[in-house]
Amino acid sequence: MESATICCFGEVLWDQFPSGKKLGGAPFNVASSLHGLGASVQFISSIGVDILGDEILSLMKAQQLSTQFIQRHPNYPTGQVHVQLDDQGVAQYEIAENVAWDFIKATPEATAQVAKAQAFIFGSLSARGASKKALDAFLKAAQFSVFDVNLRPPFYSISLLIELMQQASVLKFNDTELYLIAEQIGSPYHSLDQHIGYIAQQTGVSIICVTKGPFGAVLYHNGKWFYNSGYKIKVVDTVGAGDSFLATLIQGLIHAQDIQNTLNKACAMGALVAGSSGANPEITEDALLSFMNGDKTL
C-alpha cells in the first residue's frame, strides 16, 4: 500500500441531527476533506462491533478511504453525538462517553505509519479517555504534528491543552478558543494578533492559525502574518466547516504552496461546507475555485 502522506487520529462517530444521522467526528472530517483534495490519508480510530460500526466501514470504503487503521472494540459501542442547531445553523453537541474511539490503541503498525507521515493531525477530544496513551505514543513518533484544539466542554483542562500545544508543530484555534486559552495561560494582551504572538512565545510553535467564522482567518507563519476576511455565504450548518478549512490549509502547507493563496482556499472551503448540510459534502476543486472567483450560482 502507498505510504500515507497524512495521518489523522481520533474520533469517528455518527452525528445525530433532528433530520437523521450523518457520519462525522472532527478528525474523520479532516481525513475525508483531505481525501477529497487528493491527499493520501490514513485515519486511526476505533469503532464498535455493531451495526453503526459496520455502516462506518461501508461508507469509508464507498468513499475509497482507507480502513486499514480502523480498530474494532468488542466492549464499547460506536460513538454518537446528538447535534442541535440554532437559528443561525451553529451547532451544539452532546457527546456520548465510553465509546470505542475512547479506547484507540497505538499498534506498532499505526505508530510506524505516523512516523513516516508528512503530517499527524489530532484534536483535544481524543485525549479525554484511554486513547490519550495512544496519542502520547503517536506524538513521540510524529515528524510534524497539527493540533486542532477543537474544545468540547467539559472534555479538556488547561493543563492538558498546554501539554498538547507544546508538542505541536501547528496550532489551529477558532477565535473563541483563542481568547479563552490566552486568558487562562496569562496573556497580558487584548487583541487577537497579540494573543497569537504570546502563545507562539509560550509554546515555541511557529505556525498558528485562528479562524473567525464568517470573518475569515489569521495565519501566523514563521514570523509573518497572513489574513483573509472571509467569504459570504448563506449558512446551512457549521458542522465540519473548521475541519474542511484545516484540511485545505495543511494540504497547502505541506506541499509548500503559496501561503496567502492557501489561506484563501481554506477560508473558501470552510464557507462552502458551512453552506452545505453536514460535515462532509462533496466539493470539487473546480467548485472551490469558482466560488473564490465570485461565481454566485454556487
Side-chain angles (χ1 to χ4, degrees), residues 81-137:
V81 172
H82 290 279
V83 184
Q84 296 294 328
L85 303 174
D86 66 16
D87 293 339
Q88 284 74 48
V90 177
Q92 297 292 324
Y93 306 95
E94 181 183 338
I95 305 170
E97 297 184 60
N98 290 316
V99 292
W101 60 258
D102 283 313
F103 299 91
I104 306 167
K105 296 182 184 298
T107 64
E109 295 81 8
T111 305
Q113 190 71 68
V114 169
K116 65 183 178 181
Q118 284 186 269
F120 171 70
I121 301 174
F122 69 99
S124 61
L125 188 56
S126 61
R128 74 175 184 178
S131 295
K132 172 63 162 54
K133 185 176 180 181
L135 176 58
D136 290 341

Side-chain angles (χ1 to χ4, degrees), residues 181-191 194-196 198-199:
I181 293 171
E183 179 182 1
Q184 290 290 316
I185 67 173
S187 174
Y189 302 111
H190 298 286
S191 77
Q194 288 175 316
H195 285 322
I196 292 173
Y198 180 80
I199 290 173

Side-chain angles (χ1 to χ4, degrees), residues 18 44 65 67 72 77 91 119 137 178 182 197-198 205 208 226 262 291:
I44 305 169
L65 268 167
T67 61
R72 303 207 72 169
L178 176 81
Y198 180 80
V205 178
I208 300 177
F226 301 86
T262 292
F291 177 65

Side-chain angles (χ1 to χ4, degrees), residues 181-260:
I181 293 171
E183 179 182 1
Q184 290 290 316
I185 67 173
S187 174
Y189 302 111
H190 298 286
S191 77
L192 186 145
D193 287 13
Q194 288 175 316
H195 285 322
I196 292 173
Y198 180 80
I199 290 173
Q201 182 182 51
Q202 295 298 308
T203 62
V205 178
S206 59
I207 304 175
I208 300 177
C209 190
V210 180
T211 58
K212 302 189 295 178
F215 305 108
V218 178
L219 175 63
Y220 175 78
H221 187 278
N222 295 323
K224 296 181 179 180
W225 295 88
F226 301 86
Y227 301 88
N228 178 283
S229 58
Y231 294 88
K232 189 172 183 179
I233 199 162
K234 183 178 180 180
V235 174
V236 175
D237 69 63
T238 60
V239 179
D243 306 324
S244 61
F245 169 95
L246 180 62
T248 309
L249 180 72
I250 297 305
Q251 177 77 338
L253 291 180
I254 66 172
H255 289 291
Q257 295 172 3
D258 179 79
I259 295 174
Q260 184 62 61

Side-chain angles (χ1 to χ4, degrees), residues 251-295:
Q251 177 77 338
L253 291 180
I254 66 172
H255 289 291
Q257 295 172 3
D258 179 79
I259 295 174
Q260 184 62 61
N261 188 54
T262 292
L263 182 63
N264 295 344
K265 287 178 70 174
C267 289
M269 181 65 83
L272 283 174
V273 172
S276 305
S277 178
N280 295 294
E282 185 175 339
I283 296 170
T284 65
E285 180 81 2
D286 286 345
L288 178 63
L289 294 175
S290 294
F291 177 65
M292 292 175 69
N293 291 328
D295 187 342

Side-chain angles (χ1 to χ4, degrees), residues 28-105:
F28 172 79
N29 297 340
V30 174
S32 179
S33 294
L34 282 164
H35 179 70
L37 291 166
S40 178
V41 184
Q42 290 289 359
F43 179 54
I44 305 169
S45 190
S46 181
I47 57 178
V49 183
D50 50 27
I51 292 174
L52 291 178
D54 292 343
E55 290 180 338
I56 286 174
L57 290 180
S58 294
L59 282 174
M60 288 183 68
K61 289 173 182 175
Q63 294 177 31
Q64 296 185 314
L65 268 167
S66 172
T67 61
Q68 181 179 356
F69 296 104
I70 301 297
Q71 303 164 20
R72 303 207 72 169
H73 204 295
N75 300 324
Y76 293 95
T78 298
Q80 297 186 66
V81 172
H82 290 279
V83 184
Q84 296 294 328
L85 303 174
D86 66 16
D87 293 339
Q88 284 74 48
V90 177
Q92 297 292 324
Y93 306 95
E94 181 183 338
I95 305 170
E97 297 184 60
N98 290 316
V99 292
W101 60 258
D102 283 313
F103 299 91
I104 306 167
K105 296 182 184 298

